[in-house]
Amino acid sequence: MQKASSTTRSSAYLSALTQEIQKKLQKALASPSQRPNLLQELFADIALEVDDRAKDVILSKEEDLISPADDSVDGQLCFYDVLADYYVRVPESGKPILDLLVQLWSQSFASHIFALLFHKWLFEVELNNSEVLLRYSSALVQGATNVFWIDIQTNTRRFQSLFRYLLEEVVLEPARLNKIPVQAQRDLYLLLSRFILFYNSVDKLESFLKQFPAFPNAFLVGGPADFFVIELADQLQKLKIEPVLLHYLSQIKLLQGMELRMTTSTRLRSCLYSFTSPGGPMYPTRAVRHAAWDALDFLFPVGRYPRHLISLFFRLLYPWYWPSSCWNFVMSCIKAILYSLFGLIFSSWVKLVKPKRS
């Protein structure tokens, strides 16, 4: 009885949420002037974290029920996690929402909502119409790209469960991956290549590269590692958020030892080098410049000292940078001296204390 009651409460709650989503989509369809705002509000609602009261109703501890708790990231469970599982278990509940989204296909946030709510449904439900499957697959890649960039801009990991599902349950599982068209598979791989460092999934990188699909221009570009690094270099050039950029530069050192074509290696080196100088076009902060130098010297140790010498020469051509450079150099020297003195004092104090204790 308790099991049946828990299941009924959970299903009733999720059904009510589905009806609310359906009402808001119908309202957006009927009100062209309010459509962008309504879709944006709906997207924000389904991306919210589930509160404790709702968790008690939604989550079931019974073993034979699918619990979306497994999708939570660091204890964070969002409404889209719960609803995505629900539409896999009860596909007919999501059909009215899907039909409305198709009518709103060209609107902003429609692909966002589709990716969040139906990313599991797409790979679990059989779709025989290849044209419809291509449309849904393209919407998934587009919507996932948009929501991942929202995480980048806010430096959060709210959509990490979506990323992990696409990486671990789709890309690394050929049975699911092969359900979508080949072009969509390639687009999905390129998408995940750009965000795999951000979502701290480098432990899956080796398996990810082994599963990389064949590209028609591979004879020009190279192997899976080349495609991955090219996408990563392009992603770095687009990043403007300092903490995110620092995170990428710290993670990128894991590329050491990867076999790349000369053109790909040069592209990555040029990308990193563009972050080592102040001013345009990247306008990196001092922390980013130092992180870029560290990554560049670590990945490309050959030519390290000539690079720094050339960089210093060009810095001398811009006198307005001299005061800040001199100030940072002096402060670094002072810090180094103070740390050395503190270390010397501490070691002397330890030597004096040891004989007394013995």
Side-chain angles (χ1 to χ4, degrees):
M1 289 293 292
Q2 184 178 358
K3 173 182 172 181
S5 175
S6 175
T7 305
T8 304
R9 287 179 63 205
S10 176
S11 298
Y13 187 87
L14 294 173
S15 178
L17 283 179
T18 299
Q19 290 175 12
E20 289 299 319
I21 294 172
Q22 188 176 343
K23 287 178 183 177
K24 186 157 283 191
L25 288 173
Q26 288 172 341
K27 187 177 180 181
L29 196 60
S31 307
S33 60
Q34 299 180 17
R35 193 172 292 166
N37 292 333
L38 289 170
L39 291 176
Q40 185 174 358
E41 289 174 8
L42 177 57
F43 167 73
D45 288 341
I46 63 175
L48 284 175
E49 186 176 355
V50 179
D51 56 46
D52 293 335
R53 186 177 61 180
K55 279 183 182 179
D56 293 337
V57 178
I58 295 171
L59 301 184
S60 174
K61 303 300 181 183
E62 301 298 333
E63 293 182 357
D64 60 337
L65 291 178
I66 300 174
S67 173
D70 295 336
D71 294 329
S72 61
V73 179
D74 298 328
Q76 176 180 281
L77 180 68
C78 298
F79 281 102
Y80 74 85
D81 292 315
V82 179
L83 290 166
D85 281 328
Y86 179 62
Y87 296 146
V88 170
R89 300 200 308 272
V90 191
E92 61 272 13
S93 296
K95 191 175 185 309
I97 293 177
L98 191 58
D99 293 339
L100 289 168
L101 282 174
V102 170
Q103 297 179 62
L104 296 165
W105 217 236
S106 61
Q107 300 298 313
S108 300
F109 292 99
S111 63
H112 302 54
I113 297 168
F114 174 82
L116 293 183
L117 296 181
F118 296 101
H119 62 276
K120 293 184 178 180
W121 172 89
L122 181 61
F123 297 98
E124 300 295 342
V125 176
E126 292 295 333
L127 295 174
N128 298 321
N129 191 321
S130 58
E131 185 178 343
V132 171
L133 189 57
L134 179 60
R135 183 195 306 166
Y136 288 165
S137 304
S138 301
L140 172 66
V141 173
Q142 181 185 350
T145 302
N146 293 333
V147 300
F148 293 159
W149 268 108
I150 292 174
D151 267 355
I152 289 277
Q153 297 299 330
T154 56
N155 191 24
T156 58
R157 305 293 190 281
R158 183 170 294 273
F159 304 110
Q160 185 163 345
S161 62
L162 170 61
F163 178 87
R164 284 185 175 175
Y165 178 82
L166 294 176
L167 175 63
E168 299 173 11
E169 303 297 330
V170 176
V171 165
L172 301 183
E173 294 289 339
R176 287 196 181 97
L177 181 66
N178 292 332
K179 289 187 176 183
I180 61 176
V182 174
Q183 184 56 49
Q185 295 179 27
R186 293 168 180 160
D187 293 340
L188 184 59
Y189 266 91
L190 296 180
L191 166 64
L192 299 182
S193 297
R194 296 194 290 272
F195 294 94
I196 196 169
L197 297 188
F198 177 71
Y199 287 110
N200 302 311
S201 297
V202 290
D203 57 317
K204 302 289 192 303
L205 183 57
E206 185 177 353
S207 302
F208 176 72
L209 293 178
K210 286 180 180 178
Q211 300 286 345
F212 225 80
F215 282 76
N217 58 338
F219 69 98
L220 293 174
V221 178
D226 294 282
F227 279 96
F228 172 74
V229 171
I230 288 171
E231 290 299 315
L232 188 56
D234 289 345
Q235 178 80 343
L236 282 172
Q237 298 284 346
K238 298 174 184 176
L239 297 176
K240 304 298 180 184
I241 310 300
E242 183 186 31
V244 175
L245 190 50
L246 290 173
H247 180 74
Y248 267 84
L249 291 172
S250 66
Q251 296 281 309
I252 206 171
K253 295 178 182 179
L254 296 168
L255 300 181
Q256 188 185 41
M258 192 175 286
E259 294 185 8
L260 302 172
R261 284 194 177 184
M262 183 63 69
T263 52
T264 307
S265 181
T266 303
R267 187 169 186 165
L268 177 61
R269 184 164 49 235
S270 301
C271 171
L272 292 173
Y273 193 75
S274 67
F275 289 103
T276 61
S277 301
M282 305 309 297
Y283 296 96
T285 62
R286 187 169 182 268
V288 170
R289 294 199 302 271
H290 281 263
W293 273 122
D294 290 342
L296 189 62
D297 294 340
F298 185 82
L299 294 175
F300 305 99
V302 178
R304 172 181 180 178
Y305 296 109
R307 278 198 303 266
H308 283 272
L309 189 62
I310 293 171
S311 176
L312 177 62
F313 173 76
F314 279 105
R315 289 289 294 274
L316 294 175
L317 298 178
Y318 300 93
W320 49 88
Y321 290 126
W322 292 0
S324 62
S325 298
C326 292
W327 172 255
N328 289 323
F329 176 74
V330 170
M331 292 302 296
S332 299
C333 290
I334 293 173
K335 286 180 181 179
I337 293 171
L338 287 176
Y339 288 145
S340 299
L341 287 174
F342 285 140
L344 183 62
I345 293 170
F346 181 75
S347 60
S348 301
W349 180 77
V350 170
K351 289 179 182 178
L352 289 172
V353 171
K354 277 185 178 179
K356 292 181 181 179
R357 289 182 177 176
S358 58

